[in-house]
Amino acid sequence: MENLKENQGTSPKETDILDARLERRAFLQYAGAGAAVMALVAAGCKKDRSPSMSFGATLDFKDDIGVLNYAYALEQLEAAFYIQVATNPPSSFTTAQKNYFQDVQFHEIAHREFFKKVLGTSAIGSLDVDFSSINFSDGASVLAAAKTFEDLGVAAYNGAGVRLKTDAYLVVAGQIVSVEARHAAWVRDQISNGSFADLSSLTSLGANVSGGLDAALTPDKVLAAASKYIKTKINVINL
């Protein structure tokens, strides 16, 4: 799925990627439909920038490029996780759970490839992940890891949105975080039925229970929490 095909036909409805079971064909259609958005957003990218990779990956938060690379790093992590689970799901998984990981891997691949294309030569390189703490043969371990990634992802987008100066980027970030929140709710419900709307367990991630606001974390806190899953050294400047 690394090389996404452009769809030259009629674009699918926006809700297809969120509400319907995402098969390979639907995913390719979504990716094609997103090309128009990518073209508009990419217009704001500075193609002459290329962060140094000498000492890992550098996230320079002085402008929108740093925020987009931050999101790209997190989407790389999520995509790698979901691909690994979908390729060889735990034997204890139900059919619905297997279908979820099959479908959501394509959501995360779409997110990852979106940022990669928008950033162009300004994109950081591919990150090396470390999933040694996850037992991929155990359903409970996989669901717990998925919960961590999704909750952290939502908090990351919510915390970084304020740093974006370009309206088009902010709109896309909002569209992506809403999808990640759907993932988080589904996973939580698999672990404990009916817990999908529980904000009290997210207070450590910055959720405001009394205000009904989801979690929000600054990039430094998100990267610290995600560091156990990433081998590549990530340098943060101008935060």
Side-chain angles (χ1 to χ4, degrees):
M1 297 300 300
E2 288 295 329
N3 296 318
L4 303 183
K5 297 180 180 178
E6 299 280 336
N7 188 316
Q8 300 300 322
T10 303
S11 299
K13 295 180 180 179
E14 291 181 2
T15 52
D16 288 350
I17 193 69
L18 306 178
D19 300 319
R21 179 166 177 228
L22 187 62
E23 298 293 346
R24 183 174 185 274
R25 182 177 179 184
F27 166 66
L28 292 174
Q29 289 176 330
Y30 166 73
V37 178
M38 292 181 192
L40 290 174
V41 178
C45 288
K46 299 177 182 179
K47 298 298 183 179
D48 58 341
R49 296 186 54 188
S50 182
S52 172
M53 296 298 293
S54 300
F55 301 98
T58 297
L59 302 180
D60 185 351
F61 283 91
K62 72 177 182 180
D63 57 23
D64 285 357
I65 299 301
V67 182
L68 296 180
N69 263 316
Y70 168 57
Y72 177 43
L74 296 176
E75 295 298 349
Q76 285 190 52
L77 180 63
E78 284 195 284
F81 168 73
Y82 275 97
I83 289 170
Q84 186 160 336
V85 178
T87 300
N88 188 23
S91 59
S92 62
F93 265 13
T94 65
T95 298
Q97 289 170 334
K98 291 178 182 178
N99 288 341
Y100 166 84
F101 280 89
Q102 284 289 333
D103 291 351
V104 175
Q105 69 170 322
F106 296 132
H107 294 181
E108 303 302 354
I109 290 172
H111 297 167
R112 182 194 68 194
E113 293 303 301
F114 172 83
F115 286 113
K116 182 178 181 179
K117 184 168 183 177
V118 167
L119 285 161
T121 58
S122 296
I124 59 173
S126 298
L127 302 180
D128 290 327
V129 298
D130 179 3
F131 294 144
S132 59
S133 61
I134 304 171
N135 182 354
F136 283 93
S137 64
D138 179 69
S141 178
V142 169
L143 288 173
K147 174 179 173 293
T148 296
F149 289 138
E150 296 299 350
D151 285 346
L152 196 60
V154 171
Y157 276 99
N158 287 341
V162 68
R163 297 175 178 274
L164 290 170
K165 300 178 177 64
T166 304
D167 289 345
Y169 296 158
L170 186 57
V171 169
V172 173
Q175 291 175 313
I176 292 177
V177 72
S178 64
V179 176
E180 300 292 358
R182 289 174 184 244
H183 298 168
W186 189 92
V187 171
R188 281 177 162 274
D189 216 34
Q190 297 302 299
I191 296 174
S192 179
N193 184 254
S195 65
F196 63 91
D198 180 18
L199 289 179
S200 62
S201 61
L202 294 171
T203 53
S204 62
L205 298 181
N208 183 330
V209 179
S210 61
L213 301 177
D214 212 333
L217 287 179
T218 53
D220 55 325
K221 293 181 179 179
V222 171
L223 293 171
S227 62
K228 66 179 291 186
Y229 303 107
I230 303 174
K231 293 180 181 179
T232 305
K233 178 177 173 54
I234 297 181
N235 305 294
V236 175
I237 58 177
N238 292 313
L239 187 61

